[in-house]
Amino acid sequence: MAKQLDYHTLREIFTRFQSVEPEPKGELNHVNAYTLVVAVALSAQATDAGVNKATERLFAVADTPQKMLELGEEGVTEYIKTIGLYRNKAKNVIKLSRMLVEHYGGEVPCSRAALESLPGVGRKTANVVLNMWWGHPAQAVDTHIFRVGNRTGICPGKDVVATERAIEDHVPVDFQRHAHHWLILHGRYTCVARKPKCKACLIADLCRFEEKTE
């Protein structure tokens, strides 16, 4: 775990990220808050591309909780069976849809606690929805962010909650809204797990990673 970078270095890092990608977006396809919740819940232990392929057909027929309930668990299963853990995920999609209809009038709630009460929705999923749909500066820490944060010193932490807190505590406020998207993209395409592309990295001169690749 690298030592936490100072404020001025972090400001320079995120200024560079912003200059390349001013408005970073999540890569999961969705048409409303409900389909975003479902897509993020389905993305656990699956690729965004794989989820998008399945949900393109699913959301064409079921883009509201009521329509998903009408489709039923077996119906949902048929659409998402190419995704890992699809049987359990189909159950959760139906359960969360029923809870939204019965307790929230079919609308997706905009509080973390309410979102986390939904089956199959954890802290990361709740934070993605809060950030992408309502624009809250919530930090959804995944494996990419955890790796990048600890490797570079941007937001080191012993677990994902500690890394989330490090972003909230140290990243300049004006970069908080898009911080997790910039870090995910950096981890997905540049600061990759096995052999980071340090030569092509726009923050290589600022990060604390000692084993930089040639």
Side-chain angles (χ1 to χ4, degrees):
M1 185 190 300
K3 184 180 176 182
Q4 175 69 57
L5 291 166
D6 64 79
Y7 176 86
H8 295 293
T9 303
L10 288 174
R11 174 161 285 285
E12 176 60 24
I13 284 173
F14 283 94
T15 296
R16 294 183 190 182
F17 285 154
Q18 185 181 55
S19 69
V20 173
E21 191 73 56
E23 292 286 332
K25 306 291 183 185
E27 298 183 334
L28 285 171
N29 294 335
H30 60 283
V31 296
N32 53 31
Y34 171 69
T35 54
L36 178 59
V37 171
V38 172
V40 181
L42 293 177
S43 71
Q45 298 181 47
T47 66
D48 287 0
V51 172
N52 287 340
K53 189 174 181 180
T55 57
E56 182 178 9
R57 294 172 56 245
L58 175 63
F59 294 158
V61 297
D63 59 358
T64 68
Q66 189 59 52
K67 289 178 183 176
M68 198 69 76
L69 289 175
E70 290 168 5
L71 194 58
E73 188 178 318
E74 288 304 312
V76 173
T77 300
E78 282 302 305
Y79 282 98
I80 68 168
K81 60 186 179 183
T82 55
I83 302 174
L85 308 174
Y86 67 93
R87 290 193 184 281
N88 190 53
K89 288 177 180 179
K91 288 179 182 176
N92 282 334
V93 167
I94 291 299
K95 286 179 181 177
L96 75 83
S97 299
R98 183 171 292 113
M99 186 176 287
L100 288 174
V101 169
E102 293 178 353
H103 298 284
Y104 298 100
E107 299 295 325
V108 175
C110 61
S111 83
R112 181 184 283 118
L115 285 166
E116 287 190 55
S117 74
L118 301 173
V121 175
R123 186 179 183 87
K124 188 189 103 174
T125 297
N127 281 348
V128 170
V129 176
L130 288 171
N131 181 282
M132 288 181 63
W133 194 257
W134 282 288
H136 295 187
Q139 310 302 330
V141 177
D142 66 355
T143 54
H144 293 301
I145 295 179
F146 186 69
R147 177 180 69 254
V148 171
N150 281 289
R151 181 184 274 171
T152 63
I154 292 174
C155 49
K158 66 182 186 300
D159 53 39
V160 294
V161 174
T163 297
E164 178 185 330
R165 192 161 294 127
I167 297 174
E168 295 172 345
D169 290 347
H170 299 287
V171 172
V173 174
D174 48 321
F175 294 117
Q176 292 268 340
R177 166 78 193 281
H178 295 309
H180 91 274
H181 276 134
W182 282 316
L183 292 169
I184 286 172
L185 292 171
H186 192 62
R188 187 172 287 167
Y189 299 111
T190 303
C191 197
V192 294
R194 294 192 177 181
K195 192 175 181 181
K197 302 172 184 177
C198 298
K199 196 171 183 179
C201 177
L202 79 165
I203 64 164
D205 59 315
L206 301 173
C207 100
R208 294 187 183 276
F209 185 48
E210 294 181 354
E211 301 169 30
K212 289 187 172 67
T213 58
E214 292 298 322

